[in-house]
Amino acid sequence: MAKVEELGAAVATARRLAEDVLAPRAAAVDAERRWPAEGMAALRAELGGLVVPESSGGMGHGLLAVAQVGEATGQACASTSICFGMHLVASAVIAAKATNDQRSRYLKSIAAGEHLTTLALSEPGTGGEFWISRTRMTTHADNLRLTGAKSFVTNGGHADSYVLSTVAADTEALPGQFSCVVVDRDTPGLVWGAPWRGMGMRGNASSGLTLDAAVVPRSRLLGEEGDEIWYVFNVVAPFFLIAMAGTYLGVAKAALEEARGHVLGREYAHSGSTLAANPLVQHRLGTMWARVERTRRLVYQAALEAEAGGPEALLGVCSAKAEVAETAESVINDALTLTGGIGYAQDGPLHRYLRDARAAHVMAPLTDTLRTWTGRALLGRPLLGD
């Protein structure tokens, strides 16, 4: 019961910060294409240790907290929500097999709200197969040398550390031995690319990163060499998919509320009738609410199932992100129909919601990939290949 109350307090904090800090800045973050420093500082300070184990000073929450906090922040600002979500995913990866040094160096400062981390997995030329790495890792005494490139690094250039994937390149290493490493921001050899110029999600600083023979201590290796695939499917995938689902669930809820507010306030001068009195409008709004609510229940149940290690965890987390992507797009389009020319205005929030929500389909794993994985799992086939 105490943990449930703690989760409620964390979600209440997220809603407060979303309303007081994120929402007032969301339009400017989008228009100016700037990383949301104020929102991220507030979230890091009060909720940065959300998924860090209590033994390391954190709050010790899991996937349901990620979903609910993501919904609260996503309703206010999708860019900020994804930036914070990637911090939570990377925190979970570091925590999964943390050594004493990694707990002391990273987890305690993350829990204290003093350290921002993020993922750096995707690479140019690998498409949506983010688990495939061509970044080379070679061993030199007690150090690891990293050479390669990463793409779409959320919080790029702003985080204090980056959880990235590599492939062992030593002559004695096994072929395709993928590993995970945490790299500090001040490591020599990190070269950042041009700022993110996306159609939506304009504040997430999703930059490219070149690793030019960057050297890190071997103590920065997460788990054992070759553990990357374990991390991807046991930690990265569930936390990432639920963080994404929570964020875009929030965007769908924001669009629903925008439409509802417009309908309640719209009165026609020539007749004195109200939009809220129109049966067709009532029907459409009721349908929108039902779609958001059933998607929310899927997301929350998927998070709980995955936390418990249930038999349908994979089906749930894959379907959660896919369903949210389709729900957000559908609900925003319906909201644009209900609000007419006023909602279609370029400076209106629905314009931002639609551009932001479209990213839910293209952020790997793609919606089509997730549907295929779900089908493969139902048929007892391996997710990757035959």
Side-chain angles (χ1 to χ4, degrees):
M1 187 64 180
K3 205 62 183 175
V4 173
E5 293 174 351
E6 290 173 9
L7 175 56
V11 175
T13 297
R15 289 172 177 158
R16 171 175 54 80
L17 295 176
E19 182 178 349
D20 295 347
V21 184
L22 275 59
R25 295 170 171 81
V29 164
D30 177 71
E32 298 169 17
R33 299 178 181 269
R34 62 177 171 87
W35 188 73
E38 301 91 345
M40 288 298 291
L43 289 167
R44 186 186 67 234
E46 297 201 45
L47 294 171
L50 186 73
V51 301
V52 172
E54 292 176 301
S55 58
S56 295
M59 300 168 129
H61 290 298
L63 291 168
L64 182 59
V66 173
Q68 293 184 328
V69 166
E71 182 182 0
T73 55
Q75 187 171 348
C77 177
S79 286
T80 310
S81 187
I82 286 295
C83 287
F84 188 63
M86 293 309 98
H87 164 79
L88 296 179
V89 180
S91 297
V93 174
I94 295 172
K97 295 186 178 183
T99 63
N100 288 334
D101 177 71
Q102 290 162 1
R103 279 189 284 270
S104 175
R105 183 177 300 275
Y106 297 108
L107 296 182
K108 288 184 183 285
S109 56
I110 289 172
E114 299 168 352
H115 186 102
L116 181 70
T117 188
T118 197
L119 291 181
L121 301 186
S122 297
E123 297 193 1
T126 59
E129 297 181 329
F130 63 91
W131 56 91
I132 300 295
S133 179
R134 297 186 298 171
T135 295
R136 296 164 62 85
M137 179 181 76
T138 54
T139 304
H140 297 266
D142 291 331
N143 295 321
L144 302 172
R145 179 173 295 170
L146 310 173
T147 302
K150 296 295 178 180
S151 56
F152 305 116
V153 181
T154 300
N155 298 313
H158 299 279
D160 298 300
S161 66
Y162 299 86
V163 171
L164 56 86
S165 55
T166 69
V167 61
D170 292 317
T171 54
E172 67 276 13
L174 295 174
Q177 190 177 54
F178 300 122
S179 302
C180 285
V181 182
V182 59
V183 178
D184 295 336
R185 68 178 301 172
D186 57 359
T187 300
L190 301 190
V191 182
W192 290 102
W196 169 244
R197 299 288 296 178
M199 178 178 76
M201 304 302 296
R202 291 175 171 177
N204 70 354
S206 187
S207 304
L209 170 64
T210 299
L211 297 117
D212 185 9
V215 176
V216 301
R218 187 174 179 81
S219 60
R220 303 298 193 268
L221 181 71
L222 296 174
E224 302 293 331
E225 288 192 49
D227 276 354
E228 188 248 7
I229 295 298
W230 180 90
Y231 278 109
V232 164
F233 287 100
N234 289 279
V235 187
V236 174
F239 275 89
F240 178 78
L241 291 172
I242 291 299
M244 288 275 290
T247 289
Y248 290 107
L249 178 61
V251 175
K253 177 66 182 303
L256 174 62
E257 289 302 314
E258 185 71 19
R260 178 172 174 268
H262 174 85
V263 168
L264 285 171
R266 189 67 169 159
E267 182 176 326
Y268 296 104
H270 69 285
S271 64
S273 63
T274 64
L275 193 56
N278 186 308
L280 180 60
V281 169
Q282 296 163 0
H283 179 275
R284 187 181 288 265
L285 198 65
T287 302
M288 291 164 64
W289 181 90
R291 182 154 198 182
V292 172
E293 184 60 24
R294 70 173 180 253
T295 304
R296 174 183 291 110
R297 295 185 188 204
L298 169 63
V299 172
Y300 286 10
Q301 181 58 37
L304 287 170
E305 180 86 0
E307 280 186 12
E312 296 187 342
L314 177 62
L315 302 175
V317 296
C318 288
S319 295
K321 193 254 191 183
E323 285 292 316
V324 163
E326 294 179 357
T327 292
E329 194 172 41
S330 171
V331 168
I332 295 165
N333 280 326
D334 282 345
L336 283 165
T337 298
L338 287 178
T339 56
I342 293 174
Y344 193 69
Q346 185 170 352
D347 293 333
L350 289 172
H351 187 274
R352 182 175 78 251
Y353 300 159
L354 185 61
R355 289 186 288 101
D356 286 344
R358 196 61 187 80
H361 286 294
V362 300
M363 284 186 176
L366 309 180
T367 299
D368 286 340
T369 299
L370 292 170
R371 296 298 194 197
T372 301
W373 283 358
T374 303
R376 284 180 174 272
L378 286 168
L379 296 170
R381 303 184 70 85
L383 297 192
L384 308 179
D386 290 316

